[in-house]
């Protein structure tokens, strides 16, 4: 019965204790100490058992079972973690080291030394743990494959804790070779290996070796893509690629990052960074696509600026259709601020002109004129200039039609028609003039004078009725000249108004043309003046 066995162990232990008391250091009692340790161990008296085993294992060098007695010390300590019992844990580690150091040739010493190293690591005694794990791995053949893996893992953990990331990388890589995919420790090992690579990259980055850092970050991404560290490493690899102006690589990394980590991508503003990278890589269409997509998630001024820039980038890329659609969306969505809104109208006009679509160009020019009128106090010199230019272009078909309108018999009927065309043309030119933009004021003023001059000339050159006598023809001619004279006078008035602008320092192609026309109308008066004026302007 258990009670009887306990009694026997108590009696034996007491006997051995009394026996050794006569001569504690006598070699003859080495076996007695060992048996006493066994008895106390059976009784669950750990401290007494340890004392007896130590005596047998380390005091008597000739005792044939001294190794077993010393190992019994190791075996007496409780297995497993001893959290909350630092003294006992330290004692266990000391005893494990003592056995391995005293009996290094014992087949169990490497395993015991490994256990000691684990204890030192658990107690954050990293220097000791590092030395012990290195000592264990000096003779890996004395360990099982599982123990070798454990030793490498420990070496990796210790090195990582000591920020020796080169050693931790090597240790973790070797440990992984001995681990099955089903090993539940593999996840942590992969994370630690990834962190070891990443930390080396960080160190190189701090030292100014950007390319070296980038390569370590890429190793994490390529070798350990499923780790938590891979997210940070992929982003940092992209940032270092940007630092090195590796635009293609940084774009690929940022796009891959966005696909793999969509939520993090929003936090890190990956789309904005892709806009920049694509622009640097001169991939303007891709940059614009990013902006259009980005614009949908923005509000207020940020959204407006994104759409505006997208139009510019599509233009730079030569994607006229996309630029036109983006510009149309901008005009529809962002009527404020006024100035860029009007500028976007002008962009649409330029795109239509480049496409050779005259009808669409006129339609858009008319839209710009109406839009500019709605600006009220927000209208600027720039907006008026754009509107004046559009109005001037819109007047060109009317000018051409008017100039091609000949006077035919019956003269009254055709003159009425041309007079109506003149009135319409003058209204259009007055609109251009009304913007007060110097270039278009001189252009419209000259065109007004030229319109009256052209009507005067058309009257004089109009058809003569058939069947008139020579006298009648002379009288008819005089009559035409009388009809034409008021129009010529009106032409001179407009042309002189234009040339008078030289007194304020204005002299452009339209003023010069007005001088030329006046020289033709009034050669005696203006031929010399125009020549002198032109000379002065050229000298200045």
């Amino acid at each position: 019965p258990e009670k009887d066995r306990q009694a026997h162990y108590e009696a034996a232990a007491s006997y051995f204790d009394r026996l050794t008391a006569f001569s504690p250091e006598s070699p003859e009692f080495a076996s007695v100490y060992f048996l006493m340790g066994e008895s106390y161990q059976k009784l669950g008296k750990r401290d007494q058992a340890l004392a007896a085993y130590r005596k047998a294992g380390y005091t008597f060098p000739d005792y044939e079972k001294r190794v077993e007695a010393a190992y019994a010390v190791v075996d007496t300590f409780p297995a497993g973690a001893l959290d909350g019992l630092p003294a006992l844990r330290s004692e266990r580690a000391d005893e494990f080291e003592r056995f391995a150091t005293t009996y290094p040739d014992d087949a169990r010493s490497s395993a015991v030394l490994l256990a000691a190293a684990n204890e030192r690591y658990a107690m954050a005694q990293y220097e000791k743990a590092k030395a012990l794990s290195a000592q264990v791995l000096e003779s890996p053949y004395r360990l099982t494959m599982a123990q070798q893996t454990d030793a490498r893992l420990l070496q990796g953990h210790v090195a990582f804790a000591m920020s020796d990331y080169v050693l931790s990388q090597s240790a973790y890589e070797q440990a992984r070779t001995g681990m099955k995919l089903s090993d539940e420790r593999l996840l942590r090992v992969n994370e630690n290996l990834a962190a070891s690579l990443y930390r080396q990259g960080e160190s190189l980055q701090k030292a100014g070796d950007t390319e070296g850092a980038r390569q370590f970050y890429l190793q994490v991404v390529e070798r350990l893509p499923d780790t938590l560290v891979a997210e940070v490493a992929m982003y940092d690899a992209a940032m270092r690629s940007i630092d090195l102006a590796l635009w293609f690589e940084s774009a690929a990394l940022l796009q891959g990052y966005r696909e793999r980590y969509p939520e993090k991508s929003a936090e890190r503003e990956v789309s904005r960074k892709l806009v920049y990278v694509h622009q640097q890589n001169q991939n303007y269409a891709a940059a614009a696509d990013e902006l259009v997509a980005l614009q949908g998630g923005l509000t207020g001024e940020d959204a407006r600026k994104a759409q505006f820039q997208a139009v510019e980038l599509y233009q730079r890329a030569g994607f006229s259709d996309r630029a036109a659609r983006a510009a149309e969306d901008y005009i529809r969505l962002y009527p404020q601020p006024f100035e860029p809104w009007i500028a976007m109208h002008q962009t649409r006009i330029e795109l239509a002109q480049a496409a050779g679509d005259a009808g669409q160009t006129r339609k858009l020019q008319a839209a710009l004129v109406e839009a500019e009128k709605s600006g009220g106090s927000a209208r600027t010199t720039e907006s008026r200039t754009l509107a004046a230019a559009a109005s001037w272009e819109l007047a060109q078909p009317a000018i051409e039609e008017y100039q091609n309108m000949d006077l035919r018999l019956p003269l009254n009927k055709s003159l009425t028609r041309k007079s109506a065309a003149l009135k319409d043309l003058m209204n259009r030119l007055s609109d251009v003039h009304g913007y007060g933009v110097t270039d278009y004021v001189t252009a419209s003023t000259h065109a007004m004078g030229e319109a009256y001059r052209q009507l005067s000339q058309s009257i004089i050159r109009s058809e003569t009725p058939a069947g008139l006598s020579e006298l009648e023809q002379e009288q008819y001619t005089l009559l035409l000249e009388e009809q034409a004279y008021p129009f010529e006078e009106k032409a001179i008035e407009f042309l002189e108004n234009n040339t008078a602008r030289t007194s304020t320092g204005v002299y452009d192609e339209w003023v010069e043309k007005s001088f030329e026309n006046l020289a033709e109308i009034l050669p005696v008066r203006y031929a010399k003046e125009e020549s002198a004026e032109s000379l002065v302007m050229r000298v200045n």
Side-chain angles (χ1 to χ4, degrees):
E2 181 62 27
K3 184 177 180 180
D4 291 342
R5 282 198 296 272
Q6 288 291 102
H8 289 309
Y9 289 137
E10 288 279 5
S14 177
Y15 171 75
F16 293 138
D17 192 37
R18 290 197 305 272
L19 184 63
T20 57
F22 289 105
S23 182
E25 306 301 324
S26 175
E28 297 176 2
F29 291 139
S31 60
V32 174
Y33 280 112
F34 181 69
L35 293 172
M36 183 166 59
E38 294 281 271
S39 299
Y40 279 126
Q41 198 273 340
K42 296 292 185 181
L43 290 169
K45 296 182 178 182
R46 185 181 61 82
D47 289 343
Q48 292 91 327
L50 285 173
Y53 284 143
R54 287 189 187 112
K55 196 75 173 177
Y58 296 108
T59 304
F60 308 109
D62 296 326
Y63 178 45
E64 60 182 9
K65 291 188 176 182
R66 64 187 182 281
V67 178
E68 291 304 316
Y71 189 78
V73 175
V74 172
D75 212 28
T76 298
F77 280 94
L82 294 175
D83 297 333
L85 299 170
L88 182 57
R89 168 163 269 168
S90 181
E91 183 183 3
R92 182 168 68 176
D94 289 340
E95 289 297 342
F96 286 7
E97 278 189 60
R98 185 181 186 187
F99 175 83
T101 302
T102 306
Y103 303 110
D105 295 329
D106 186 82
R108 297 164 293 186
S109 64
S110 290
V112 173
L113 195 62
L114 176 59
N118 274 298
E119 292 296 338
R120 298 302 181 192
Y121 172 68
M123 291 184 288
Q125 297 174 2
Y126 299 132
E127 288 290 352
K128 280 190 175 183
K130 181 179 180 180
L132 292 176
S133 60
Q135 187 177 339
V136 169
L137 289 167
E138 287 175 0
S139 304
Y141 60 88
R142 301 180 70 176
L143 301 170
T144 64
M145 288 299 297
Q147 288 172 330
Q148 288 183 42
T149 298
D150 291 344
R152 293 295 181 191
L153 284 178
L154 175 62
Q155 188 179 52
H157 295 336
V158 172
F160 192 88
M162 297 179 71
S163 301
D164 186 350
Y165 302 117
V166 175
L167 178 58
S168 64
Q169 174 194 343
S170 174
Y172 286 134
E173 286 174 337
Q174 292 182 65
R176 290 172 81 228
T177 63
M179 301 177 73
K180 296 180 180 179
L181 293 176
S182 59
D183 194 324
E184 60 185 20
R185 298 173 300 174
L186 188 58
L187 182 62
R188 182 191 173 191
V189 172
N190 286 341
E191 290 291 349
N192 285 5
L193 175 56
S196 298
L197 292 166
Y198 182 83
R199 294 299 185 193
Q200 290 179 71
E202 272 191 330
S203 297
L204 290 174
Q205 184 177 330
K206 290 177 182 177
D209 186 353
T210 304
E211 174 58 21
R214 191 178 81 95
Q215 290 300 326
F216 271 101
Y217 298 149
L218 287 174
Q219 280 195 65
V220 177
V221 175
E222 293 165 2
R223 295 175 56 190
L224 301 153
D226 296 326
T227 59
L228 296 175
V229 182
E231 180 265 317
V232 180
M234 192 173 194
Y235 179 79
D236 284 353
M239 295 303 98
R240 301 296 75 77
S241 296
I242 291 175
D243 293 341
L244 294 166
L246 299 173
W247 308 121
F248 180 82
E249 291 84 348
S250 56
L253 284 166
L254 287 171
Q255 287 168 336
Y257 183 91
R258 185 168 58 187
E259 292 172 6
R260 192 177 297 180
Y261 310 106
E263 293 183 1
K264 286 287 186 180
S265 294
E267 293 177 18
R268 296 186 183 274
E269 297 188 323
V270 167
S271 292
R272 288 185 183 274
K273 293 178 174 64
L274 273 169
V275 172
Y276 172 75
V277 167
H278 286 317
Q279 286 185 80
Q280 296 302 312
N281 203 29
Q282 297 185 3
N283 191 353
Y284 301 119
D289 288 343
E290 288 290 340
L291 279 168
V292 170
L294 183 64
Q295 186 268 347
L298 300 175
T299 58
E301 188 67 1
D302 288 340
R304 184 193 70 79
K305 288 181 177 179
Q307 187 71 21
F308 192 95
Q309 189 180 5
V311 176
E312 293 179 330
L313 290 172
Y314 278 134
Q315 284 183 281
R316 292 189 70 179
F319 283 59
S320 300
D321 289 344
R322 292 191 195 178
R325 287 195 296 272
E328 184 178 353
D329 288 340
Y330 182 95
I331 290 170
R332 176 174 52 84
L333 294 170
Y334 305 110
Q336 297 297 330
F338 178 73
E339 193 166 352
W341 185 60
I342 290 298
M344 195 59 69
H345 280 78
Q346 179 62 25
T347 296
R348 290 197 67 202
I349 290 171
E350 292 168 0
L351 289 167
Q353 288 173 330
D357 191 337
Q360 179 69 356
T361 298
R362 288 192 296 273
K363 178 181 176 182
L364 294 173
Q365 286 169 336
L368 184 149
V369 170
E370 291 303 314
E372 204 278 336
K373 286 180 182 177
S374 70
S377 61
R379 299 169 78 187
T380 64
T381 300
E382 290 76 12
S383 73
R384 291 177 184 277
T385 300
L386 292 177
S391 293
W392 174 249
E393 291 299 324
L394 288 170
Q396 296 311 301
I399 292 174
E400 183 177 355
E401 181 182 358
Y402 176 80
Q403 289 174 342
N404 293 331
M405 190 179 295
D406 294 330
L407 294 181
R408 299 182 181 278
L409 296 174
L411 183 59
N412 287 342
K413 185 175 181 180
S414 59
L415 184 58
T416 299
R417 187 172 65 253
K418 184 143 186 168
S419 296
L422 174 63
K423 183 178 180 181
D424 176 68
L425 177 58
M426 293 301 288
N427 287 335
R428 291 176 180 271
L429 293 173
S430 293
D431 288 341
V432 176
H433 189 281
Y435 287 102
V437 179
T438 300
D439 289 347
Y440 296 101
V441 166
T442 58
S444 59
T445 302
H446 175 79
M448 290 175 183
E450 180 62 16
Y452 278 103
R453 180 191 179 209
Q454 203 267 345
L455 178 55
S456 173
Q457 292 175 338
S458 294
I459 292 173
I460 293 173
R461 296 169 185 170
S462 63
E463 292 180 310
T464 302
L468 294 179
S469 65
E470 184 175 344
L471 179 59
E472 288 173 332
Q473 286 183 357
E474 289 179 4
Q475 291 175 336
Y476 186 79
T477 300
L478 289 173
L479 180 62
L480 289 179
E481 289 176 352
E482 289 177 2
Q483 290 282 328
Y485 181 74
F487 297 115
E488 184 176 90
E489 286 293 302
K490 196 69 174 176
I492 292 171
E493 179 185 342
F494 278 111
L495 295 172
E496 286 184 331
N497 284 341
N498 222 23
T499 57
R501 293 191 171 91
T502 56
S503 64
T504 61
V506 176
Y507 189 88
D508 59 14
E509 61 172 311
W510 300 107
V511 173
E512 185 174 3
K513 286 181 179 180
S514 292
F515 271 116
E516 291 171 356
N517 285 7
L518 285 169
E520 292 176 6
I521 298 171
L522 302 170
V524 174
R525 177 180 174 187
Y526 279 97
K528 292 182 179 180
E529 289 185 15
E530 189 275 339
S531 177
E533 184 68 35
S534 298
L535 177 61
V536 170
M537 295 307 295
R538 286 195 293 271
V539 170
N540 289 342

